[in-house]
Amino acid sequence: MGVKDSGQNTHIFITIGEIMLRLTPPNHEKIRMASSFEASYGGSEANIALALANLGIDSTFFTVVP
């Protein structure tokens, strides 16, 4: 991965970690009674990469799935 020299300080951030997946039944149902789940993704490393990208900073999230 290369960085073009435009005379400005260009930073590239790579966050390394695991992503979290939270499965929640809709309407606060019990898990055993639910027929579907709402998925939410997160984790501090993923959140930082997303926040930097929203600020216009080149960022990447790196993880490994076993």
Side-chain angles (χ1 to χ4, degrees):
M1 172 173 12
V3 177
K4 294 181 183 178
D5 185 18
S6 61
Q8 299 176 356
N9 287 338
T10 304
H11 299 286
I12 298 174
F13 288 90
I14 300 174
T15 60
I16 301 171
E18 60 188 11
I19 195 160
M20 305 291 189
L21 172 65
R22 179 179 177 164
L23 298 173
T24 306
N27 301 322
H28 304 288
E29 293 181 41
K30 295 187 179 197
I31 291 176
R32 61 188 163 149
M33 302 299 289
S35 59
S36 64
F37 293 94
E38 297 172 356
S40 302
Y41 298 96
S44 60
E45 296 87 358
N47 291 341
I48 294 295
L50 182 62
L52 290 171
N54 285 334
L55 291 171
I57 300 171
D58 190 14
S59 60
T60 301
F61 177 69
F62 178 78
T63 189
V64 176
V65 179

Tab-separated table of all heavy atoms in Angstrom:
chain	number	residue	atom	x	y	z
A	1	MET	N	0.856	-1.153	0.000
A	1	MET	CA	0.000	0.000	0.000
A	1	MET	C	0.906	1.221	0.000
A	1	MET	O	1.759	1.360	0.855
A	1	MET	CB	-0.893	-0.045	1.240
A	1	MET	CG	-1.674	1.176	1.449
A	1	MET	SD	-2.911	1.160	2.772
A	1	MET	CE	-2.642	-0.249	3.729
A	2	GLY	N	0.745	2.106	-0.953
A	2	GLY	CA	1.592	3.285	-1.051
A	2	GLY	C	0.819	4.549	-0.743
A	2	GLY	O	-0.391	4.606	-0.831
A	3	VAL	N	1.580	5.584	-0.392
A	3	VAL	CA	1.004	6.880	-0.099
A	3	VAL	C	1.589	7.873	-1.086
A	3	VAL	O	2.805	7.967	-1.235
A	3	VAL	CB	1.325	7.321	1.348
A	3	VAL	CG1	0.779	8.701	1.619
A	3	VAL	CG2	0.777	6.329	2.333
A	4	LYS	N	0.749	8.626	-1.771
A	4	LYS	CA	1.215	9.643	-2.703
A	4	LYS	C	1.691	10.860	-1.920
A	4	LYS	O	1.048	11.280	-0.966
A	4	LYS	CB	0.095	10.048	-3.660
A	4	LYS	CG	-0.335	8.940	-4.580
A	4	LYS	CD	-1.428	9.416	-5.506
A	4	LYS	CE	-1.906	8.292	-6.388
A	4	LYS	NZ	-2.996	8.696	-7.258
A	5	ASP	N	2.807	11.410	-2.323
A	5	ASP	CA	3.342	12.589	-1.660
A	5	ASP	C	2.759	13.825	-2.303
A	5	ASP	O	3.122	14.192	-3.413
A	5	ASP	CB	4.864	12.599	-1.749
A	5	ASP	CG	5.479	13.750	-0.970
A	5	ASP	OD1	4.772	14.306	-0.107
A	5	ASP	OD2	6.648	14.078	-1.222
A	6	SER	N	1.825	14.480	-1.601
A	6	SER	CA	1.185	15.684	-2.129
A	6	SER	C	1.616	16.911	-1.344
A	6	SER	O	0.985	17.948	-1.422
A	6	SER	CB	-0.339	15.526	-2.078
A	6	SER	OG	-0.761	15.359	-0.743
A	7	GLY	N	2.677	16.760	-0.536
A	7	GLY	CA	3.133	17.876	0.265
A	7	GLY	C	2.397	18.007	1.580
A	7	GLY	O	2.711	18.865	2.381
A	8	GLN	N	1.416	17.186	1.825
A	8	GLN	CA	0.662	17.217	3.069
A	8	GLN	C	0.975	15.961	3.862
A	8	GLN	O	1.402	14.951	3.309
A	8	GLN	CB	-0.838	17.275	2.807
A	8	GLN	CG	-1.289	18.492	2.048
A	8	GLN	CD	-2.784	18.434	1.748
A	8	GLN	OE1	-3.450	17.454	2.054
A	8	GLN	NE2	-3.313	19.487	1.155
A	9	ASN	N	0.763	16.025	5.154
A	9	ASN	CA	0.903	14.819	5.974
A	9	ASN	C	-0.290	13.919	5.708
A	9	ASN	O	-1.421	14.301	5.970
A	9	ASN	CB	0.966	15.161	7.461
A	9	ASN	CG	2.279	15.792	7.841
A	9	ASN	OD1	3.274	15.617	7.131
A	9	ASN	ND2	2.304	16.512	8.935
A	10	THR	N	-0.041	12.756	5.146
A	10	THR	CA	-1.095	11.802	4.866
A	10	THR	C	-0.947	10.630	5.820
A	10	THR	O	0.108	10.044	5.904
A	10	THR	CB	-1.006	11.302	3.415
A	10	THR	OG1	-1.044	12.430	2.554
A	10	THR	CG2	-2.156	10.397	3.087
A	11	HIS	N	-2.006	10.334	6.533
A	11	HIS	CA	-1.978	9.246	7.497
A	11	HIS	C	-2.913	8.138	7.036
A	11	HIS	O	-4.005	8.407	6.546
A	11	HIS	CB	-2.418	9.724	8.878
A	11	HIS	CG	-1.543	10.791	9.435
A	11	HIS	ND1	-0.298	10.530	9.926
A	11	HIS	CD2	-1.733	12.115	9.567
A	11	HIS	CE1	0.247	11.655	10.346
A	11	HIS	NE2	-0.607	12.641	10.133
A	12	ILE	N	-2.469	6.923	7.190
A	12	ILE	CA	-3.299	5.756	6.933
A	12	ILE	C	-3.371	4.968	8.236
A	12	ILE	O	-2.343	4.640	8.816
A	12	ILE	CB	-2.711	4.874	5.818
A	12	ILE	CG1	-2.652	5.660	4.510
A	12	ILE	CG2	-3.528	3.609	5.651
A	12	ILE	CD1	-1.948	4.925	3.406
A	13	PHE	N	-4.565	4.701	8.694
A	13	PHE	CA	-4.756	3.969	9.937
A	13	PHE	C	-5.266	2.572	9.641
A	13	PHE	O	-6.171	2.392	8.829
A	13	PHE	CB	-5.769	4.692	10.836
A	13	PHE	CG	-5.222	5.950	11.434
A	13	PHE	CD1	-5.348	7.157	10.784
A	13	PHE	CD2	-4.576	5.914	12.658
A	13	PHE	CE1	-4.852	8.316	11.323
A	13	PHE	CE2	-4.065	7.065	13.218
A	13	PHE	CZ	-4.203	8.272	12.547
A	14	ILE	N	-4.688	1.594	10.311
A	14	ILE	CA	-5.153	0.210	10.234
A	14	ILE	C	-5.467	-0.235	11.656
A	14	ILE	O	-4.596	-0.197	12.524
A	14	ILE	CB	-4.097	-0.725	9.618
A	14	ILE	CG1	-3.747	-0.285	8.201
A	14	ILE	CG2	-4.595	-2.170	9.636
A	14	ILE	CD1	-2.619	-1.061	7.575
A	15	THR	N	-6.707	-0.607	11.897
A	15	THR	CA	-7.074	-1.148	13.201
A	15	THR	C	-7.148	-2.665	13.086
A	15	THR	O	-7.606	-3.201	12.078
A	15	THR	CB	-8.416	-0.581	13.695
A	15	THR	OG1	-9.439	-0.919	12.768
A	15	THR	CG2	-8.360	0.925	13.837
A	16	ILE	N	-6.664	-3.336	14.092
A	16	ILE	CA	-6.600	-4.796	14.088
A	16	ILE	C	-7.353	-5.316	15.303
A	16	ILE	O	-7.088	-4.887	16.429
A	16	ILE	CB	-5.138	-5.282	14.127
A	16	ILE	CG1	-4.379	-4.730	12.922
A	16	ILE	CG2	-5.076	-6.803	14.169
A	16	ILE	CD1	-2.895	-4.961	12.975
A	17	GLY	N	-8.295	-6.214	15.077
A	17	GLY	CA	-9.033	-6.776	16.201
A	17	GLY	C	-10.186	-7.630	15.733
A	17	GLY	O	-10.277	-8.003	14.574
A	18	GLU	N	-11.068	-7.914	16.666
A	18	GLU	CA	-12.219	-8.748	16.341
A	18	GLU	C	-13.471	-7.889	16.266
A	18	GLU	O	-13.592	-6.884	16.951
A	18	GLU	CB	-12.399	-9.847	17.385
A	18	GLU	CG	-12.624	-9.314	18.790
A	18	GLU	CD	-12.601	-10.401	19.836
A	18	GLU	OE1	-12.211	-11.527	19.519
A	18	GLU	OE2	-12.981	-10.110	20.966
A	19	ILE	N	-14.369	-8.295	15.414
A	19	ILE	CA	-15.641	-7.584	15.300
A	19	ILE	C	-16.679	-8.343	16.125
A	19	ILE	O	-16.645	-9.570	16.206
A	19	ILE	CB	-16.074	-7.427	13.828
A	19	ILE	CG1	-17.166	-6.393	13.705
A	19	ILE	CG2	-16.487	-8.751	13.237
A	19	ILE	CD1	-17.329	-5.840	12.324
A	20	MET	N	-17.527	-7.615	16.772
A	20	MET	CA	-18.563	-8.208	17.610
A	20	MET	C	-19.894	-8.179	16.875
A	20	MET	O	-20.206	-7.227	16.176
A	20	MET	CB	-18.703	-7.418	18.915
A	20	MET	CG	-17.439	-7.280	19.689
A	20	MET	SD	-16.966	-8.874	20.355
A	20	MET	CE	-15.655	-8.378	21.411
A	21	LEU	N	-20.658	-9.226	17.040
A	21	LEU	CA	-21.996	-9.311	16.463
A	21	LEU	C	-22.974	-9.552	17.595
A	21	LEU	O	-22.846	-10.521	18.345
A	21	LEU	CB	-22.087	-10.452	15.451
A	21	LEU	CG	-23.469	-10.764	14.907
A	21	LEU	CD1	-24.013	-9.591	14.097
A	21	LEU	CD2	-23.434	-12.017	14.048
A	22	ARG	N	-23.935	-8.654	17.730
A	22	ARG	CA	-24.957	-8.804	18.759
A	22	ARG	C	-26.272	-9.127	18.074
A	22	ARG	O	-26.734	-8.395	17.194
A	22	ARG	CB	-25.095	-7.519	19.568
A	22	ARG	CG	-26.155	-7.615	20.627
A	22	ARG	CD	-26.241	-6.348	21.417
A	22	ARG	NE	-27.310	-6.455	22.385
A	22	ARG	CZ	-27.451	-5.656	23.408
A	22	ARG	NH1	-26.596	-4.682	23.607
A	22	ARG	NH2	-28.452	-5.813	24.243
A	23	LEU	N	-26.883	-10.222	18.466
A	23	LEU	CA	-28.190	-10.631	17.941
A	23	LEU	C	-29.239	-10.379	19.015
A	23	LEU	O	-29.160	-10.939	20.107
A	23	LEU	CB	-28.165	-12.109	17.550
A	23	LEU	CG	-27.180	-12.475	16.447
A	23	LEU	CD1	-27.125	-13.986	16.265
A	23	LEU	CD2	-27.552	-11.790	15.149
A	24	THR	N	-30.212	-9.539	18.691
A	24	THR	CA	-31.233	-9.149	19.653
A	24	THR	C	-32.609	-9.471	19.093
A	24	THR	O	-32.927	-9.088	17.964
A	24	THR	CB	-31.152	-7.631	19.926
A	24	THR	OG1	-29.829	-7.299	20.306
A	24	THR	CG2	-32.115	-7.219	21.012
A	25	PRO	N	-33.460	-10.156	19.855
A	25	PRO	CA	-34.830	-10.389	19.393
A	25	PRO	C	-35.601	-9.068	19.343
A	25	PRO	O	-35.434	-8.219	20.211
A	25	PRO	CB	-35.433	-11.316	20.451
A	25	PRO	CG	-34.303	-11.802	21.265
A	25	PRO	CD	-33.207	-10.821	21.126
A	26	PRO	N	-36.429	-8.877	18.322
A	26	PRO	CA	-37.197	-7.625	18.251
A	26	PRO	C	-38.238	-7.544	19.364
A	26	PRO	O	-38.713	-8.568	19.876
A	26	PRO	CB	-37.861	-7.688	16.874
A	26	PRO	CG	-37.844	-9.124	16.485
A	26	PRO	CD	-36.687	-9.747	17.192
A	27	ASN	N	-38.572	-6.330	19.766
A	27	ASN	CA	-39.613	-6.062	20.782
A	27	ASN	C	-39.331	-6.733	22.116
A	27	ASN	O	-40.254	-7.141	22.829
A	27	ASN	CB	-40.991	-6.470	20.264
A	27	ASN	CG	-41.361	-5.735	18.997
A	27	ASN	OD1	-41.054	-4.555	18.845
A	27	ASN	ND2	-41.992	-6.431	18.078
A	28	HIS	N	-38.070	-6.920	22.447
A	28	HIS	CA	-37.656	-7.491	23.739
A	28	HIS	C	-38.251	-8.878	23.994
A	28	HIS	O	-38.574	-9.239	25.126
A	28	HIS	CB	-38.004	-6.548	24.886
A	28	HIS	CG	-37.423	-5.182	24.731
A	28	HIS	ND1	-36.074	-4.925	24.895
A	28	HIS	CD2	-37.982	-3.992	24.390
A	28	HIS	CE1	-35.835	-3.652	24.685
A	28	HIS	NE2	-36.985	-3.051	24.370
A	29	GLU	N	-38.419	-9.645	22.933
A	29	GLU	CA	-38.918	-11.013	23.087
A	29	GLU	C	-37.847	-11.867	23.757
A	29	GLU	O	-36.683	-11.523	23.784
A	29	GLU	CB	-39.226	-11.629	21.721
A	29	GLU	CG	-40.376	-11.011	20.985
A	29	GLU	CD	-40.603	-11.716	19.650
A	29	GLU	OE1	-40.517	-12.955	19.599
A	29	GLU	OE2	-40.851	-11.008	18.664
A	30	LYS	N	-38.264	-13.011	24.259
A	30	LYS	CA	-37.297	-13.976	24.795
A	30	LYS	C	-36.636	-14.693	23.635
A	30	LYS	O	-37.253	-14.903	22.581
A	30	LYS	CB	-37.990	-14.971	25.712
A	30	LYS	CG	-38.547	-14.308	26.944
A	30	LYS	CD	-39.074	-15.306	27.912
A	30	LYS	CE	-39.590	-14.538	29.128
A	30	LYS	NZ	-39.761	-15.367	30.267
A	31	ILE	N	-35.397	-15.066	23.803
A	31	ILE	CA	-34.634	-15.696	22.724
A	31	ILE	C	-35.317	-16.968	22.235
A	31	ILE	O	-35.417	-17.214	21.035
A	31	ILE	CB	-33.194	-15.986	23.187
A	31	ILE	CG1	-32.451	-14.668	23.369
A	31	ILE	CG2	-32.465	-16.876	22.184
A	31	ILE	CD1	-31.061	-14.818	23.924
A	32	ARG	N	-35.810	-17.765	23.135
A	32	ARG	CA	-36.425	-19.044	22.732
A	32	ARG	C	-37.747	-18.858	21.993
A	32	ARG	O	-38.214	-19.755	21.300
A	32	ARG	CB	-36.621	-19.945	23.940
A	32	ARG	CG	-37.516	-19.346	24.972
A	32	ARG	CD	-37.564	-20.150	26.230
A	32	ARG	NE	-38.120	-19.279	27.259
A	32	ARG	CZ	-38.827	-19.679	28.251
A	32	ARG	NH1	-39.054	-20.952	28.410
A	32	ARG	NH2	-39.300	-18.831	29.113
A	33	MET	N	-38.374	-17.669	22.117
A	33	MET	CA	-39.648	-17.406	21.453
A	33	MET	C	-39.474	-16.623	20.150
A	33	MET	O	-40.421	-16.498	19.379
A	33	MET	CB	-40.572	-16.611	22.386
A	33	MET	CG	-40.853	-17.300	23.716
A	33	MET	SD	-41.672	-18.885	23.544
A	33	MET	CE	-43.273	-18.363	23.019
A	34	ALA	N	-38.280	-16.109	19.907
A	34	ALA	CA	-38.058	-15.239	18.748
A	34	ALA	C	-37.935	-16.049	17.463
A	34	ALA	O	-37.353	-17.121	17.435
A	34	ALA	CB	-36.802	-14.416	18.955
A	35	SER	N	-38.490	-15.501	16.398
A	35	SER	CA	-38.348	-16.132	15.085
A	35	SER	C	-37.358	-15.366	14.208
A	35	SER	O	-37.004	-15.823	13.127
A	35	SER	CB	-39.702	-16.207	14.385
A	35	SER	OG	-40.237	-14.906	14.231
A	36	SER	N	-36.927	-14.193	14.672
A	36	SER	CA	-35.932	-13.409	13.948
A	36	SER	C	-35.109	-12.611	14.955
A	36	SER	O	-35.478	-12.502	16.130
A	36	SER	CB	-36.601	-12.467	12.950
A	36	SER	OG	-37.390	-11.520	13.637
A	37	PHE	N	-33.993	-12.075	14.494
A	37	PHE	CA	-33.101	-11.292	15.343
A	37	PHE	C	-32.645	-10.041	14.599
A	37	PHE	O	-32.537	-10.047	13.378
A	37	PHE	CB	-31.857	-12.107	15.736
A	37	PHE	CG	-32.152	-13.270	16.629
A	37	PHE	CD1	-32.364	-14.528	16.103
A	37	PHE	CD2	-32.214	-13.101	17.994
A	37	PHE	CE1	-32.638	-15.601	16.922
A	37	PHE	CE2	-32.483	-14.169	18.830
A	37	PHE	CZ	-32.701	-15.417	18.291
A	38	GLU	N	-32.372	-8.987	15.347
A	38	GLU	CA	-31.764	-7.778	14.799
A	38	GLU	C	-30.268	-7.884	15.032
A	38	GLU	O	-29.832	-8.192	16.136
A	38	GLU	CB	-32.328	-6.544	15.499
A	38	GLU	CG	-33.814	-6.355	15.285
A	38	GLU	CD	-34.397	-5.246	16.142
A	38	GLU	OE1	-33.660	-4.660	16.969
A	38	GLU	OE2	-35.592	-4.978	15.981
A	39	ALA	N	-29.476	-7.651	13.999
A	39	ALA	CA	-28.023	-7.764	14.099
A	39	ALA	C	-27.400	-6.383	14.236
A	39	ALA	O	-27.746	-5.459	13.500
A	39	ALA	CB	-27.467	-8.474	12.874
A	40	SER	N	-26.490	-6.256	15.204
A	40	SER	CA	-25.719	-5.022	15.398
A	40	SER	C	-24.247	-5.398	15.427
A	40	SER	O	-23.854	-6.340	16.114
A	40	SER	CB	-26.091	-4.351	16.718
A	40	SER	OG	-27.459	-4.052	16.760
A	41	TYR	N	-23.444	-4.669	14.662
A	41	TYR	CA	-22.012	-4.930	14.614
A	41	TYR	C	-21.293	-3.857	15.411
A	41	TYR	O	-21.711	-2.711	15.454
A	41	TYR	CB	-21.513	-4.911	13.163
A	41	TYR	CG	-22.144	-5.969	12.312
A	41	TYR	CD1	-23.240	-5.687	11.513
A	41	TYR	CD2	-21.655	-7.264	12.331
A	41	TYR	CE1	-23.834	-6.659	10.738
A	41	TYR	CE2	-22.245	-8.252	11.561
A	41	TYR	CZ	-23.329	-7.940	10.763
A	41	TYR	OH	-23.905	-8.913	10.003
A	42	GLY	N	-20.182	-4.222	16.015
A	42	GLY	CA	-19.411	-3.253	16.788
A	42	GLY	C	-18.076	-3.816	17.212
A	42	GLY	O	-17.562	-4.754	16.615
A	43	GLY	N	-17.546	-3.255	18.250
A	43	GLY	CA	-16.213	-3.577	18.726
A	43	GLY	C	-15.369	-2.323	18.616
A	43	GLY	O	-15.513	-1.541	17.678
A	44	SER	N	-14.496	-2.090	19.567
A	44	SER	CA	-13.774	-0.820	19.607
A	44	SER	C	-12.925	-0.580	18.369
A	44	SER	O	-12.877	0.541	17.850
A	44	SER	CB	-12.919	-0.740	20.872
A	44	SER	OG	-11.975	-1.788	20.903
A	45	GLU	N	-12.259	-1.614	17.855
A	45	GLU	CA	-11.407	-1.424	16.680
A	45	GLU	C	-12.229	-1.047	15.454
A	45	GLU	O	-11.872	-0.148	14.696
A	45	GLU	CB	-10.591	-2.682	16.396
A	45	GLU	CG	-9.601	-3.034	17.484
A	45	GLU	CD	-10.200	-3.887	18.586
A	45	GLU	OE1	-11.406	-4.190	18.531
A	45	GLU	OE2	-9.457	-4.256	19.508
A	46	ALA	N	-13.349	-1.731	15.252
A	46	ALA	CA	-14.220	-1.422	14.120
A	46	ALA	C	-14.836	-0.038	14.266
A	46	ALA	O	-14.960	0.699	13.278
A	46	ALA	CB	-15.325	-2.480	13.996
A	47	ASN	N	-15.213	0.335	15.470
A	47	ASN	CA	-15.805	1.651	15.702
A	47	ASN	C	-14.809	2.769	15.415
A	47	ASN	O	-15.171	3.798	14.850
A	47	ASN	CB	-16.323	1.766	17.138
A	47	ASN	CG	-17.524	0.885	17.384
A	47	ASN	OD1	-18.190	0.450	16.457
A	47	ASN	ND2	-17.810	0.605	18.648
A	48	ILE	N	-13.542	2.578	15.795
A	48	ILE	CA	-12.510	3.586	15.528
A	48	ILE	C	-12.291	3.734	14.027
A	48	ILE	O	-12.211	4.848	13.504
A	48	ILE	CB	-11.197	3.226	16.237
A	48	ILE	CG1	-11.368	3.300	17.749
A	48	ILE	CG2	-10.052	4.109	15.770
A	48	ILE	CD1	-11.662	4.674	18.284
A	49	ALA	N	-12.182	2.609	13.304
A	49	ALA	CA	-11.984	2.665	11.853
A	49	ALA	C	-13.153	3.379	11.181
A	49	ALA	O	-12.957	4.196	10.271
A	49	ALA	CB	-11.804	1.262	11.281
A	50	LEU	N	-14.362	3.109	11.615
A	50	LEU	CA	-15.544	3.758	11.050
A	50	LEU	C	-15.559	5.251	11.353
A	50	LEU	O	-15.857	6.072	10.482
A	50	LEU	CB	-16.813	3.095	11.579
A	50	LEU	CG	-18.121	3.642	11.043
A	50	LEU	CD1	-18.209	3.447	9.541
A	50	LEU	CD2	-19.286	2.981	11.733
A	51	ALA	N	-15.223	5.622	12.584
A	51	ALA	CA	-15.202	7.034	12.957
A	51	ALA	C	-14.155	7.801	12.142
A	51	ALA	O	-14.414	8.906	11.666
A	51	ALA	CB	-14.924	7.183	14.447
A	52	LEU	N	-12.974	7.213	11.958
A	52	LEU	CA	-11.934	7.864	11.160
A	52	LEU	C	-12.373	8.014	9.708
A	52	LEU	O	-12.154	9.055	9.087
A	52	LEU	CB	-10.633	7.075	11.243
A	52	LEU	CG	-9.908	7.114	12.594
A	52	LEU	CD1	-8.763	6.122	12.615
A	52	LEU	CD2	-9.426	8.515	12.907
A	53	ALA	N	-12.998	6.974	9.164
A	53	ALA	CA	-13.480	7.042	7.783
A	53	ALA	C	-14.546	8.124	7.623
A	53	ALA	O	-14.569	8.835	6.619
A	53	ALA	CB	-14.030	5.689	7.344
A	54	ASN	N	-15.415	8.275	8.613
A	54	ASN	CA	-16.437	9.327	8.553
A	54	ASN	C	-15.830	10.720	8.618
A	54	ASN	O	-16.441	11.690	8.161
A	54	ASN	CB	-17.460	9.148	9.680
A	54	ASN	CG	-18.420	8.012	9.410
A	54	ASN	OD1	-18.665	7.661	8.265
A	54	ASN	ND2	-18.962	7.444	10.473
A	55	LEU	N	-14.620	10.836	9.198
A	55	LEU	CA	-13.918	12.116	9.248
A	55	LEU	C	-13.084	12.364	7.997
A	55	LEU	O	-12.400	13.370	7.895
A	55	LEU	CB	-13.015	12.163	10.482
A	55	LEU	CG	-13.738	12.223	11.828
A	55	LEU	CD1	-12.754	12.052	12.976
A	55	LEU	CD2	-14.502	13.528	11.961
A	56	GLY	N	-13.114	11.414	7.051
A	56	GLY	CA	-12.378	11.572	5.805
A	56	GLY	C	-10.944	11.084	5.870
A	56	GLY	O	-10.151	11.369	4.984
A	57	ILE	N	-10.593	10.340	6.905
A	57	ILE	CA	-9.243	9.802	7.067
A	57	ILE	C	-9.219	8.381	6.538
A	57	ILE	O	-10.105	7.580	6.846
A	57	ILE	CB	-8.818	9.837	8.554
A	57	ILE	CG1	-8.828	11.278	9.053
A	57	ILE	CG2	-7.466	9.192	8.751
A	57	ILE	CD1	-8.648	11.425	10.537
A	58	ASP	N	-8.211	8.070	5.733
A	58	ASP	CA	-8.082	6.734	5.152
A	58	ASP	C	-7.849	5.722	6.269
A	58	ASP	O	-6.848	5.794	6.981
A	58	ASP	CB	-6.933	6.711	4.150
A	58	ASP	CG	-6.902	5.442	3.332
A	58	ASP	OD1	-7.896	4.690	3.347
A	58	ASP	OD2	-5.883	5.217	2.655
A	59	SER	N	-8.773	4.784	6.455
A	59	SER	CA	-8.652	3.796	7.529
A	59	SER	C	-9.147	2.437	7.046
A	59	SER	O	-9.966	2.345	6.137
A	59	SER	CB	-9.438	4.229	8.764
A	59	SER	OG	-10.797	4.363	8.455
A	60	THR	N	-8.608	1.408	7.672
A	60	THR	CA	-8.935	0.026	7.316
A	60	THR	C	-9.092	-0.784	8.588
A	60	THR	O	-8.396	-0.555	9.577
A	60	THR	CB	-7.807	-0.582	6.458
A	60	THR	OG1	-7.647	0.203	5.298
A	60	THR	CG2	-8.124	-2.004	6.058
A	61	PHE	N	-10.002	-1.731	8.555
A	61	PHE	CA	-10.189	-2.659	9.676
A	61	PHE	C	-9.710	-4.034	9.225
A	61	PHE	O	-10.125	-4.533	8.187
A	61	PHE	CB	-11.660	-2.713	10.088
A	61	PHE	CG	-11.956	-3.695	11.176
A	61	PHE	CD1	-11.512	-3.489	12.459
A	61	PHE	CD2	-12.664	-4.845	10.904
A	61	PHE	CE1	-11.770	-4.405	13.465
A	61	PHE	CE2	-12.932	-5.777	11.888
A	61	PHE	CZ	-12.476	-5.540	13.175
A	62	PHE	N	-8.833	-4.651	10.007
A	62	PHE	CA	-8.276	-5.948	9.675
A	62	PHE	C	-8.665	-6.944	10.762
A	62	PHE	O	-8.488	-6.677	11.943
A	62	PHE	CB	-6.750	-5.865	9.577
A	62	PHE	CG	-6.081	-7.185	9.281
A	62	PHE	CD1	-6.069	-7.695	8.013
A	62	PHE	CD2	-5.488	-7.897	10.314
A	62	PHE	CE1	-5.462	-8.911	7.743
A	62	PHE	CE2	-4.884	-9.110	10.056
A	62	PHE	CZ	-4.871	-9.615	8.769
A	63	THR	N	-9.197	-8.099	10.340
A	63	THR	CA	-9.555	-9.149	11.283
A	63	THR	C	-9.389	-10.503	10.611
A	63	THR	O	-9.215	-10.584	9.403
A	63	THR	CB	-11.015	-8.973	11.787
A	63	THR	OG1	-11.263	-9.881	12.861
A	63	THR	CG2	-12.018	-9.224	10.682
A	64	VAL	N	-9.449	-11.542	11.393
A	64	VAL	CA	-9.354	-12.915	10.895
A	64	VAL	C	-10.534	-13.700	11.451
A	64	VAL	O	-10.843	-13.596	12.635
A	64	VAL	CB	-8.030	-13.577	11.318
A	64	VAL	CG1	-7.985	-15.021	10.893
A	64	VAL	CG2	-6.847	-12.818	10.760
A	65	VAL	N	-11.196	-14.434	10.591
A	65	VAL	CA	-12.313	-15.280	11.021
A	65	VAL	C	-11.798	-16.716	11.106
A	65	VAL	O	-11.248	-17.236	10.140
A	65	VAL	CB	-13.487	-15.180	10.028
A	65	VAL	CG1	-14.625	-16.082	10.454
A	65	VAL	CG2	-13.954	-13.750	9.916
A	66	PRO	N	-11.942	-17.364	12.267
A	66	PRO	CA	-11.431	-18.726	12.410
A	66	PRO	C	-12.226	-19.731	11.589
A	66	PRO	O	-13.347	-19.535	11.275
A	66	PRO	CB	-11.563	-19.026	13.890
A	66	PRO	CG	-12.577	-18.072	14.414
A	66	PRO	CD	-12.567	-16.898	13.494
